[in-house]
Amino acid sequence: MTTYTARAIPSTVLARLRVTDDAGRACVPFVAEEGGGPLRCCLRPAVAGERIALVSYAPLRRWAAETGAEPGAYDEQGPVFVHAEECGGPGPSETYPFERAGALRTVRRYDAEGRIAGGRLLELPEAPGEGFDRAFAEAFANPAVVLVHVRAVEYGCFQFEVHRP
């Protein structure tokens, strides 16, 4: 069981990304030939034959717009896979999304202004959930940290976010 809640891209944001992404490009759906692409709408791997899209997403910009933060130069955007149509979001899970022992992740911490307040490289251990729990507990031990982004090291892609409990 996970200690912290992994958050998918909100459905209201997904509705807009499925039209125009955060880089201003039109969404171009396609059928996944192979499974495995990490879907950020429902926090699970894509299955071969599903209609998905690769869109540019700026998670910190979206969060800042809701909170009034000003991340400035820390605003990033990058590619994420999503279902081409509404999917209902993530189902209940007792694990963190995209857990795989040995996978490398960055755990970036942000303060209430949207500025980076530290981070770390995390190699997921044999019990990946325990590794994430330790990294999140370490992040939120700093009272200034309000938000954590998890990214894949291999491609730099946003995986999911965790808010201060």
Side-chain angles (χ1 to χ4, degrees):
M1 187 159 142
T2 60
T3 303
Y4 299 87
T5 302
R7 296 177 182 234
I9 299 174
S11 60
T12 54
V13 172
L14 288 164
R16 291 189 294 270
L17 292 174
R18 289 180 179 122
V19 177
T20 305
D21 72 11
D22 285 344
R25 289 186 294 271
C27 180
V28 181
F30 61 96
V31 175
E33 292 183 18
E34 298 178 7
L39 296 165
R40 283 26 167 260
C41 49
C42 55
L43 300 180
R44 68 163 177 81
V47 175
E50 287 186 299
R51 281 181 42 82
I52 63 175
L54 183 61
V55 298
S56 185
Y57 175 55
L60 194 60
R61 181 184 315 160
R62 296 289 185 155
W63 172 81
E66 292 175 10
T67 64
E70 294 287 338
Y74 295 108
D75 179 25
E76 296 181 76
Q77 68 185 36
V80 294
F81 289 104
V82 298
H83 276 112
E85 290 84 25
E86 187 174 337
C87 67
S93 178
E94 293 191 10
T95 63
Y96 290 106
F98 320 119
E99 284 188 357
R100 189 182 79 245
L104 297 175
R105 301 289 183 252
T106 59
V107 179
R108 293 189 189 158
R109 308 164 189 173
Y110 296 93
D111 67 15
E113 293 301 314
R115 295 186 184 102
I116 291 179
R120 68 176 290 218
L121 175 65
L122 174 65
E123 181 175 355
L124 293 178
E126 286 301 315
E130 292 174 14
F132 275 132
D133 281 343
R134 283 192 299 273
F136 298 147
E138 177 185 292
F140 292 122
N142 177 345
V145 173
V146 299
L147 176 70
V148 173
H149 284 175
V150 175
R151 292 181 178 269
V153 172
E154 301 90 339
Y155 300 101
C157 298
F158 171 82
Q159 299 279 294
F160 61 91
E161 69 183 25
V162 174
H163 292 206
R164 176 173 286 284

